[in-house]
């Protein structure tokens, strides 16, 4: 019973060709996150949604956008992928506890994106 | 600017022995720390956490120790089992918990 699902698991795209990665969750969590992990690097938070409120990290390039049409789904759009965007993209979810703090983040299996 | 550092990229331990994975951090505003375990082709899985008001948290074979003055935490696995072979990520956040700062990971190999 998968809880955080990412599609596709592997994606190859051409330099400059827009690509969309998908994440869905069955946990009914308020918060959904997108992380980028390059080879041998730490996962790096790109942005997160708290319900419909979008929170962008200061150093996330404008090339990366996100949409959350409902509680269950969140999309990562890369408008014009560059070679440096080749990475694993991880989606995570968490619920918000009393007092506004968030609980443990649960991760999906990731989408490995290759930009040629 | 890496705020969470795992200085050992890999560690090899014999089955039954103790595995000790280390993590250092630089941001004194961090007050919640987590360890995640990752198998190949899977996402990170939460393992254990500790808040800054504690110095130790234990869950079965896994214990996390926090030394705030040294800005250091460690994960102890006793006894180590071959199924523990994975990449272990240390992560830290501020009080709200939203932005997790990860280390680069330590690859643990437990040999029979």
């Amino acid at each position: 019973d998968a809880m955080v699902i990412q599609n596709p698991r592997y994606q190859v795209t051409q330099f400059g060709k827009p690509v969309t990665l998908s994440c869905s969750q069955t946990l009914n969590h308020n918060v959904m996150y997108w992380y980028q992990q390059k080879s041998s690097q730490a996962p790096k938070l790109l942005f997160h949604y708290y319900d419909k409120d979008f929170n962008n990290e200061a150093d996330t390039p404008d090339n990366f956008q996100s949409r959350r049409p409902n509680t269950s789904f969140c999309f990562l759009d890369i408008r014009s992928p560059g070679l440096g965007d080749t990475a694993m993209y991880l989606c995570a979810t968490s619920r918000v506890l009393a007092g506004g703090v968030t609980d443990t983040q649960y991760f999906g299996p990731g989408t490995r994106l290759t930009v040629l | 600017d890496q705020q969470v550092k795992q200085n050992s990229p890999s560690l090899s331990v014999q089955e039954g022995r103790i595995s000790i994975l280390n993590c250092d951090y630089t941001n004194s505003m961090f007050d919640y720390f987590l360890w995640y375990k990752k198998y190949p082709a899977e996402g990170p899985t939460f393992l254990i956490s500790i808040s800054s008001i504690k110095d130790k948290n234990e869950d079965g074979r896994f214990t996390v120790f926090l030394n705030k003055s040294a800005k250091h935490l460690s994960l102890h696995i006793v006894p180590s089992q071959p199924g523990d072979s994975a990449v272990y990520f240390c992560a830290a956040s501020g009080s709200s918990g939203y932005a997790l700062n990860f280390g680069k990971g330590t690859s643990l190999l437990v040999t029979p």
Side-chain angles (χ1 to χ4, degrees), chain B residues 54-73:
Chain B
K54 294 186 173 183
D55 55 17
K56 177 182 174 181
N57 189 26
E58 195 170 351
D59 183 2
R61 296 185 297 114
F62 302 91
T63 303
V64 55
F65 295 92
L66 175 63
N67 182 335
K68 282 189 67 179
S69 60
K71 294 192 180 68
H72 177 84
L73 63 155

Side-chain angles (χ1 to χ4, degrees), chain B residues 19-50:
Chain B
S19 295
I20 300 176
L21 294 93
N22 293 302
C23 178
D24 297 291
Y25 62 96
T26 57
N27 189 337
S28 57
M29 299 301 289
F30 289 151
D31 63 2
Y32 190 58
F33 305 89
L34 309 91
W35 286 94
Y36 280 83
K37 176 179 178 179
K38 185 181 183 304
Y39 292 117
E42 295 183 14
T45 303
F46 171 71
L47 192 57
I48 192 169
S49 64
I50 187 166

Side-chain angles (χ1 to χ4, degrees), chain A residues 21 32-34 46-49 54-56 60 62-69 73-79:
Chain A
L21 309 183
M32 295 186 77
Y33 309 79
W34 280 103
L46 295 173
F47 27 59
H48 74 271
Y49 270 97
F54 178 70
N55 298 271
N56 199 29
T60 298
D62 292 341
N63 198 24
F64 291 86
Q65 303 285 319
S66 187
R67 296 170 284 134
R68 190 179 185 187
F73 283 87
C74 194
F75 300 99
L76 170 62
D77 301 307
I78 309 177
R79 294 191 297 187

Side-chain angles (χ1 to χ4, degrees), chain A residues 11-20 63 77-83 85 113-116:
Chain A
Q11 176 76 56
V12 179
T13 192
Q14 288 186 328
F15 180 93
K17 186 173 180 183
V19 66
T20 295
N63 198 24
D77 301 307
I78 309 177
R79 294 191 297 187
S80 182
L83 300 179
D85 296 329
L113 175 69
T114 302
V115 182
L116 300 176

Side-chain angles (χ1 to χ4, degrees), chain A residues 16-42:
Chain A
K17 186 173 180 183
V19 66
T20 295
L21 309 183
S22 168
C23 177
S24 63
Q25 53 135 338
T26 59
L27 298 162
N28 204 34
H29 284 172
N30 312 77
V31 192
M32 295 186 77
Y33 309 79
W34 280 103
Y35 288 84
Q36 179 193 61
Q37 185 184 15
K38 295 185 178 180
S39 180
S40 302
Q41 299 295 312

